[in-house]
Amino acid sequence: MNMSDNASISQYLTHVRIVMVNTTLPANIGSALRAMKTMGLSKLVLVKPKTFPHPDIDALAAGAQDLLQQVEIVETLEQAIADCHVVFGTSARSRTIPWPLLDVRPAAELSMQAVVKKQQEVAIIFGREDRGLTNEELALANYHLTIPVNTDYGVLNVAQAIQVVCYEMRMATLQQHEQHQPLQAVDPQTEQMPVTSETKMEWDEPLVNHKQMEEFYPHLEKMLVDIEFLDPQNPRLLPLRLRRLFGRIQLDRMEYHLLRGIFSRVQALSQGTWKKTSLDKEEDQSNA
């Protein structure tokens, strides 16, 4: 591989961020940085770490000081992934609701397709050393990611897991070179949207990011409360199932505003506050 190829791969890997939530041991942060540097990833986001900065981070991040200087610290997981389009939550445990679950290798392939073909931002979330991610945090992800370890001794610390994920991300990018598929950025005005597993078409609208979807879900739930479909005192699993539903697809900007417009119209109708005007008729026609 020549220097030009290596630069191209590194450029694509800048679109993949590693997110560590409430990390307790500074050494794990340093080890994660070294693992990332080895595989060409460069963006680490820490969500409210217990200790930062710390000498152990500097010691374990030997050779990755440039990445250490770029580490981003945020207060909430929502901030860490706000501008992302594809989010993976790492988990080895079964959950109340089955979530789309991928082994690390197909997850890496899906990630690099999102980056290379759609210029999207990808996040891989790692939880606390002692208890991982909460159900609420996992619900923010589009997919859950697992590493198929030895079932008799499936023990990986967080830094080791990050090393495995970073390796698979790099290999997924290298594979495209080996298959002689040029890594060329698409025109941002011409998104590629999958229609079926075999067919793609030109897409004229940008896809919405995680921050926008986090404004979408409360609006959807409020609309369902207004029409008495959702009981806010006893929501059961409905909000989580709706997240899972929309997490399996990616809305574009037009679809996003169309659905939110429908929610607002339903709310107004249920409250008896909507009266159709000529302007509304024109808007309905333009959205059709």
Side-chain angles (χ1 to χ4, degrees):
M1 180 183 299
N2 59 40
M3 292 181 63
S4 176
D5 288 336
N6 191 60
S8 296
I9 291 170
S10 295
Q11 178 59 37
Y12 284 113
L13 289 172
T14 62
H15 292 276
V16 181
R17 74 191 61 176
I18 300 297
V19 180
M20 300 176 73
V21 178
N22 296 158
T23 308
T24 299
L25 299 176
N28 280 331
I29 298 174
S31 296
L33 286 166
R34 190 165 61 182
M36 293 169 60
K37 177 82 171 183
T38 302
M39 294 301 157
L41 283 80
S42 59
K43 188 167 186 178
L44 176 64
V45 183
L46 302 177
V47 179
K48 213 169 184 179
K50 300 294 184 182
T51 306
F52 188 92
H54 191 277
D56 287 351
I57 299 176
D58 298 315
L60 270 297
Q65 294 299 319
D66 54 334
L67 271 59
L68 178 56
Q69 294 172 5
Q70 301 171 29
V71 169
E72 183 179 352
I73 310 293
V74 297
E75 286 295 307
T76 68
L77 179 55
E78 288 82 358
Q79 291 173 319
I81 60 178
D83 61 334
C84 292
H85 303 89
V86 182
V87 179
F88 292 90
T90 55
S91 175
R93 295 174 289 172
S94 60
R95 300 288 166 174
T96 304
I97 292 184
W99 214 259
L101 178 68
L102 291 174
D103 284 348
V104 60
R105 185 156 298 175
E109 293 170 357
L110 177 62
S111 296
M112 295 320 299
Q113 288 173 9
V115 170
V116 173
K117 297 180 180 179
K118 305 177 187 177
Q119 298 293 286
Q120 293 186 324
E121 297 295 319
V122 175
I124 317 293
I125 309 171
F126 294 84
R128 302 153 190 85
E129 289 96 333
D130 59 342
R131 56 192 176 91
L133 296 168
T134 66
N135 284 341
E136 291 74 19
E137 290 163 344
L138 282 166
L140 297 177
N142 302 100
Y143 306 92
H144 293 173
L145 179 154
T146 187
I147 298 174
V149 296
N150 177 7
T151 55
D152 293 332
Y153 188 73
V155 180
L156 281 177
N157 70 27
V158 65
Q160 292 171 327
I162 289 173
Q163 180 73 81
V164 173
V165 169
C166 291
Y167 169 78
E168 292 293 349
M169 290 292 172
R170 186 168 187 82
M171 292 304 295
T173 312
L174 287 169
Q175 183 179 27
Q176 300 204 34
H177 274 288
E178 294 170 359
Q179 294 175 347
H180 305 289
Q181 297 178 5
L183 298 179
Q184 297 179 349
V186 298
D187 183 341
Q189 301 300 318
T190 313
E191 298 272 356
Q192 295 291 321
M193 174 66 75
V195 179
T196 69
S197 60
E198 299 297 331
T199 307
K200 294 184 183 296
M201 62 177 286
E202 299 299 320
W203 211 251
D204 59 353
E205 288 287 334
L207 304 179
V208 299
N209 59 30
H210 188 272
K211 181 179 180 181
Q212 292 168 306
M213 290 305 295
E214 286 307 303
E215 297 169 355
F216 175 90
Y217 292 123
H219 192 180
L220 170 59
E221 292 173 23
K222 181 63 169 61
M223 181 269 293
L224 294 176
V225 170
D226 288 347
I227 64 174
E228 299 183 3
F229 188 86
L230 172 65
D231 180 358
Q233 304 304 317
N234 186 27
R236 298 181 181 274
L237 296 176
L238 180 58
L240 202 56
R241 290 187 181 279
L242 290 170
R243 277 182 173 271
R244 185 177 67 174
L245 167 64
F246 284 100
R248 291 202 304 270
I249 60 177
Q250 287 185 287
L251 299 177
D252 70 23
R253 182 172 55 190
M254 183 67 73
E255 294 164 341
Y256 174 84
H257 290 299
L258 175 62
L259 284 172
R260 293 200 65 178
I262 292 172
F263 299 162
S264 296
R265 179 70 57 84
V266 170
Q267 287 176 299
L269 287 169
S270 69
Q271 297 162 6
T273 59
W274 179 73
K275 183 176 181 181
K276 194 172 186 69
T277 65
S278 59
L279 184 61
D280 291 320
K281 292 178 182 178
E282 293 176 5
E283 183 177 349
D284 289 344
Q285 291 173 356
S286 66
N287 287 332

